[in-house]
Amino acid sequence: MATLPTTIDEIIAQFGPHKAYAPQAGFYGSHEPDSLVKTHCCYCGMQCGIQLKVKENKVVGFEPWMEFPFNEGRLCPKGVERYLQNNHPDRLLAPLKRVEGKGFQQVSWDYAMDKTVGEIKRIQEAYGNNAFAMLSGVSLTNEKSYMIGKFARVALKTANLDYNGRLCMVSAGAGNKKAFGLDRSSNSWADLAHAEVIIVAGANISETFPTLTHYIWRARGNGAKLIVVDPRIIPLARTADLHLNVIPGGDSALFGAMLKILVDNDWLDHEFIANYTSGFQEAINAVRDYDLDWAEKYTGVAKEKIFEAARLWGKAKTSFLLHARGIEHHTKGVDNVLSCINLVLATGRIGKPYCGYGTITGQGNGQGGREHGHKCDQLPGNRDITNPEHRQYIADVWGISEQELPGKGLTAYEQIEAIHRGEIKGLISICFNPLVSLPNNNYVREALEKLEFYMCIDSFLSETARYADIIMAGSLHEEEEGTVTTAEGRVVKINAAVTPPKNARKDGEILMELAGRLNEGDKFSFDSSEAIFNELRLASKGGTADYFGITYEKVVNNMGVFWPCPSLDHPGTPRLWEDRKFKTPDGKAHFNAVSFKPPSEVIDTDYPVVLTTGRVVSQYLSGTSTRRIGKLVDQYPEPLLEIHPELARRYNIRSGDIIRVKTRRGEAEFPAQVVETIRKDTVFIPYHWGGKHAANQLTIGNLDPISKIPEFKVCACQLIPTGEVASEKVKETAYQSHL
């Protein structure tokens, strides 16, 4: 059983998180490095170019990469400090096994491999192949994402593979496929800089994608109007022409009302609608009754602002709409995405210069990772695992029969539910920290405790890895060559700067050895990352995410190549849909009828306040890496409860007061931060921490019926002042996530 083998304090003392800082004068060799390696930041989907300084097989600093066309040397606070994860004192340097009452002890690779393979065989022989599951992450390269999809289905022979992109981009992906037949932002960011009107919905760009802000400032310098949709006055909203402070869960009501205004005022592109789209009448029928009084009630936004937003959008000649998790983390996340796309299609502003639609990828390879096979319903090239033709093509590439290829499996949160039901008994995870990042943390922890065997591959001991039976010490971003695909669809090259330290190993090598011990080694005999990529190219050929014409050489020579790129002589596709030929069965872009539905949990007399969650500038996802970097921790040392002064007065709350936040899932305590930048009926908590500091103790596990994304962005809560005030002592250790 995957319970904790010893106390949290003892585990933290040995494995962290501990804060690491660079020496004041810099690391040895930082002024005279042995080499300067051009690569990319390991964090968000912007994948900014960076040069890592290397001395004696250690990353000792960085230099800007001015020539890389997206960020031109600019980096955010995380990018500036990212090199400090390398040679961190918490780094896992050898395989570990769980020892009851003692913690974790180093073991040989042979022991770790034998134990894992033995448990896989035991569990599958007793309960069936699908009783062993795998969870993966999209901070991994395309090559590793592809190999994991193949490993789970060919070597592990399970249908139950999913990934942490299930918490990120799946609503956007499902909406893109329904509307366009292809899942990618329609444009490079270069078009954004020249748009006349920009809508940013549910995307705290200045904090979570800071280097993208430059393109918005360029557009503003050219006279662009900016509309920001968010329940908080995020930094980007402070200078916006319009801030629409929508109540969490009100997004589709807002965009539906805007569509009605476009129709009522004939701010439409009739030629585009008639010739290149379908479903327009059904879409407008769904919003026919969305008058401004109704919209104000269900969005919480003044009706004058809603009309003005529609007017600015409708009368513009060029425009760009961007959205991220703020509209996607809902039980109606796909509907929210489709309601945004309806605005784009109604005005015909797609496939043209300076007109576009972008779904901002949150994770480092959130775009490429959702294209090549480690989703439960997907095969490489963004193929459908339930489609017989798609299945046969991939089976032929992999050298197996179509009947051997498992079918559609369970999504990430559904796997947790299946563990509780006793259907899943064993688990492998890589680059995923579900105990922090999944909703309803206590339920997730109870699932981990029920597993008969759990093996984790990672480079640091995360909160989830504390429950593992075997931990395999894997590689960091800078230790294994590969490619990733940025949020704008540009495939870029990750260059290995150093090798894994001591007895840690490359993730790809770990997976290949496991496959060999599972008697499928002949299908995983890759001698390089490039060899994996070349098989990926073939596997993607003819799919909607077609990488066949992309090679390592082409990527390096062009500083990235935009997919689709179907042939070696093809230049790539920075702007989609210029030919007006969409990837849907009828070749047209599809409007979708979206009727407003309330969130799965609404406020009432028992739980009268709306809780929403999100990110802060100095932290990344579950914080496994960033909560170990001293300056990033010091910038935002603990999660705070943002609350409006008017709501704070109702509860007699002042900044620094410890507030117990209670939902139907659990309760946790946070220091209050009284701010005027949030709605009066809503509180906000960032989610990068675990243990008693985890916002996801409180969030709800209800899922979008199409994308299966959890509803992180809205639930109902109580606020209970404790009478205590935050102490500096607690702040200093909050990043360690004690239980």
Side-chain angles (χ1 to χ4, degrees):
M1 305 293 284
T3 55
L4 289 177
T6 186
T7 68
I8 287 288
D9 286 342
E10 289 173 312
I11 292 173
I12 289 174
Q14 187 174 4
F15 298 104
H18 298 107
K19 293 193 291 185
Y21 299 86
Q24 189 169 2
F27 286 108
Y28 165 71
S30 62
H31 303 297
E32 294 183 355
D34 296 333
S35 60
L36 200 58
V37 180
K38 289 180 170 61
T39 189
H40 295 269
C41 181
C42 57
Y43 295 131
C44 81
M46 299 302 109
Q47 287 296 285
C48 292
I50 189 172
Q51 299 184 96
L52 296 181
K53 294 180 176 180
V54 177
K55 185 73 171 182
E56 297 177 1
N57 200 38
K58 294 182 179 181
V59 176
V60 295
F62 76 96
E63 290 284 351
W65 184 5
M66 307 301 292
E67 295 79 19
F68 187 70
F70 165 68
N71 62 307
E72 299 172 322
R74 288 177 291 272
L75 294 167
C76 78
K78 293 187 289 293
V80 168
E81 300 291 323
R82 58 87 68 215
Y83 75 97
L84 290 171
Q85 69 174 349
N86 194 264
N87 299 290
H88 192 286
D90 290 347
R91 181 66 189 279
L92 298 178
L93 301 174
L96 305 171
K97 72 171 181 178
R98 171 187 181 275
V99 179
E100 182 66 41
K102 295 184 179 180
F104 295 98
Q105 294 181 353
Q106 287 192 15
V107 293
S108 69
W109 277 104
D110 271 343
Y111 178 91
M113 291 284 175
D114 286 344
K115 178 67 174 176
T116 299
V117 170
E119 288 296 306
I120 291 169
K121 291 179 177 178
R122 178 188 66 79
I123 287 171
Q124 291 186 325
E125 286 170 3
Y127 307 108
N129 287 352
N130 292 338
F132 212 101
M134 188 166 185
L135 289 171
S136 180
V138 287
S139 291
L140 300 170
T141 60
N142 289 318
E143 290 78 0
K144 285 191 268 190
S145 298
Y146 171 79
M147 194 195 301
I148 287 164
K150 184 178 180 181
F151 171 83
R153 286 154 183 145
V154 175
L156 199 54
K157 303 184 189 304
T158 183
N160 289 326
L161 164 71
D162 208 45
Y163 75 140
N164 62 8
R166 187 65 57 186
L167 319 178
C168 181
M169 292 296 299
V170 285
S171 290
N176 284 335
K177 288 181 181 179
K178 287 172 73 72
F180 305 118
L182 184 149
D183 173 21
R184 202 204 89 183
S185 291
S186 67
N187 305 61
S188 75
W189 303 131
D191 273 346
L192 176 60
H194 300 281
E196 289 183 11
V197 172
I198 298 169
I199 293 179
V200 177
N204 186 4
I205 289 175
S206 297
E207 292 197 72
T208 55
F209 317 105
T211 50
L212 181 57
T213 311
H214 169 75
Y215 288 82
I216 295 176
W217 293 153
R218 283 178 58 190
R220 297 285 273 158
N222 293 330
K225 299 293 185 181
L226 175 62
I227 302 166
V228 173
V229 181
D230 201 284
R232 300 190 298 150
I233 305 175
I234 55 175
L236 192 67
R238 294 172 190 164
T239 61
D241 296 278
L242 274 176
H243 173 229
L244 308 182
N245 61 330
V246 64
I247 189 169
D251 305 283
S252 62
L254 172 64
F255 299 127
M258 289 176 64
L259 178 62
K260 183 177 188 301
I261 294 166
L262 295 180
V263 173
D264 290 347
N265 290 274
D266 198 24
W267 293 327
L268 303 169
D269 186 332
H270 292 284
E271 189 269 340
F272 179 82
I273 292 169
N275 294 325
Y276 304 112
T277 73
S278 64
F280 178 63
Q281 190 60 49
E282 291 81 358
I284 62 174
N285 288 345
V287 301
R288 192 175 299 280
D289 298 328
Y290 287 19
D291 61 43
L292 283 170
D293 289 329
W294 177 92
E296 186 174 75
K297 176 181 177 181
Y298 285 97
T299 67
V301 179
K303 57 187 175 182
E304 296 82 8
K305 286 188 173 183
I306 298 173
F307 182 86
E308 180 62 8
R311 186 189 71 82
L312 287 173
W313 181 264
K315 295 180 74 66
K317 293 180 180 178
T318 62
S319 60
F320 212 110
L321 194 153
L322 293 165
H323 62 73
R325 309 302 80 73
I327 74 162
E328 297 160 21
H329 276 161
H330 297 268
T331 50
K332 51 187 178 175
V334 177
D335 280 355
N336 291 341
V337 169
L338 292 170
S339 64
C340 282
I341 293 173
N342 286 345
L343 297 181
V344 175
L345 296 180
T347 49
R349 300 202 200 105
I350 196 162
K352 301 177 181 178
Y354 316 141
C355 294
Y357 163 72
T359 57
I360 308 177
T361 307
Q363 298 192 60
N365 195 28
Q367 181 65 53
R370 69 183 192 264
E371 295 164 358
H372 297 300
H374 60 168
K375 289 173 65 179
C376 70
D377 56 352
Q378 178 216 68
L379 293 170
N382 224 329
R383 288 181 163 89
D384 180 357
I385 201 166
T386 65
N387 182 303
E389 183 181 341
H390 294 185
R391 291 173 58 83
Q392 187 62 60
Y393 180 83
I394 296 301
D396 290 343
V397 172
W398 287 351
I400 62 174
S401 69
E402 186 271 333
Q403 292 76 23
E404 291 178 89
L405 186 60
K408 181 179 177 180
L410 298 174
T411 65
Y413 197 76
E414 289 174 329
Q415 286 193 24
I416 300 300
E417 295 172 325
I419 295 170
H420 276 280
R421 294 193 300 268
E423 296 168 10
I424 291 176
K425 302 289 188 177
L427 178 68
I428 293 174
S429 74
I430 178 171
C431 193
F432 193 174
N433 190 10
L435 189 52
V436 176
S437 56
L438 283 176
N440 197 357
N441 286 168
N442 294 323
Y443 183 73
V444 177
R445 188 189 68 251
E446 291 165 3
L448 293 174
E449 292 173 345
K450 291 181 177 181
L451 288 168
E452 291 188 12
F453 179 76
Y454 169 39
M455 186 272 276
C456 173
I457 304 171
D458 216 327
S459 46
F460 295 106
L461 194 80
S462 69
E463 283 78 6
T464 308
R466 295 171 184 171
Y467 288 81
D469 298 286
I470 293 289
I471 301 164
M472 297 195 182
S475 53
L476 291 172
H477 193 264
E478 56 264 32
E479 293 169 354
E480 197 163 1
E481 184 182 42
T483 61
V484 297
T485 307
T486 73
E488 56 182 345
R490 187 198 306 256
V491 180
V492 297
K493 182 73 162 42
I494 304 302
N495 291 310
V498 294
T499 58
K502 296 195 175 179
N503 205 20
R505 293 177 62 182
K506 295 178 181 179
D507 295 336
E509 293 176 356
I510 294 171
L511 292 168
M512 284 191 286
E513 180 166 345
L514 282 170
R517 289 173 180 250
L518 290 166
N519 302 315
E520 297 292 348
D522 60 315
K523 300 178 182 67
F524 293 85
S525 56
F526 302 108
D527 60 5
S528 66
S529 292
E530 187 171 11
I532 303 170
F533 186 75
N534 285 336
E535 185 174 293
L536 178 158
R537 291 172 54 223
L538 178 61
S540 75
K541 185 178 182 180
T544 55
D546 193 334
Y547 281 37
F548 183 69
I550 304 175
T551 65
Y552 273 20
E553 181 181 15
K554 194 171 180 178
V555 169
V556 171
N557 289 344
N558 294 278
M559 294 193 186
V561 179
F562 289 84
W563 72 266
C565 184
S567 63
L568 291 173
D569 59 355
H570 193 284
T573 315
R575 185 185 297 127
L576 298 174
W577 319 128
E578 290 186 292
D579 60 1
R580 301 293 192 273
K581 295 177 181 178
F582 298 92
K583 293 295 184 180
T584 54
D586 62 4
K588 294 185 176 184
H590 293 173
F591 283 91
N592 285 267
V594 177
S595 298
F596 174 72
K597 297 184 286 290
S600 62
E601 184 174 83
V602 296
I603 58 174
D604 55 26
T605 53
D606 292 328
Y607 296 89
V609 178
V610 177
L611 168 64
T612 193
T613 65
R615 309 183 193 188
V616 296
V617 66
S618 65
Q619 293 298 317
Y620 177 66
L621 303 184
S622 67
T624 302
S625 169
T626 52
R627 281 190 284 113
R628 287 176 159 83
I629 297 175
K631 285 187 177 180
L632 298 181
V633 173
D634 295 343
Q635 186 172 346
Y636 203 109
E638 63 181 327
L640 302 174
L641 175 79
E642 290 189 12
I643 182 171
H644 191 276
E646 190 170 306
L647 183 58
R649 282 193 291 271
R650 280 173 45 193
Y651 289 90
N652 195 28
I653 292 171
R654 291 182 291 185
S655 284
D657 289 354
I658 300 295
I659 309 304
R660 183 175 302 119
V661 183
K662 184 177 180 180
T663 71
R664 291 179 174 88
R665 272 73 53 198
E667 58 184 50
E669 296 180 357
F670 304 93
Q673 184 180 34
V674 180
V675 294
E676 296 182 354
T677 52
I678 191 168
R679 288 182 57 88
K680 298 175 183 179
D681 53 9
T682 300
V683 294
F684 169 87
I685 305 170
Y687 62 68
H688 308 285
W689 290 261
K692 66 182 181 181
H693 303 292
N696 280 329
Q697 295 175 88
L698 310 172
T699 49
I700 194 166
N702 293 347
L703 308 179
D704 182 292
I706 298 172
S707 67
K708 306 294 185 179
I709 203 169
E711 190 151 54
F712 291 107
K713 285 296 184 278
V714 53
C715 66
C717 74
Q718 298 175 3
L719 302 179
I720 307 167
T722 65
E724 300 177 3
V725 178
S727 72
E728 289 299 315
K729 182 179 180 180
V730 171
K731 182 187 297 185
E732 180 58 28
T733 60
Y735 70 99
Q736 294 182 322
S737 299
H738 292 268
L739 290 177

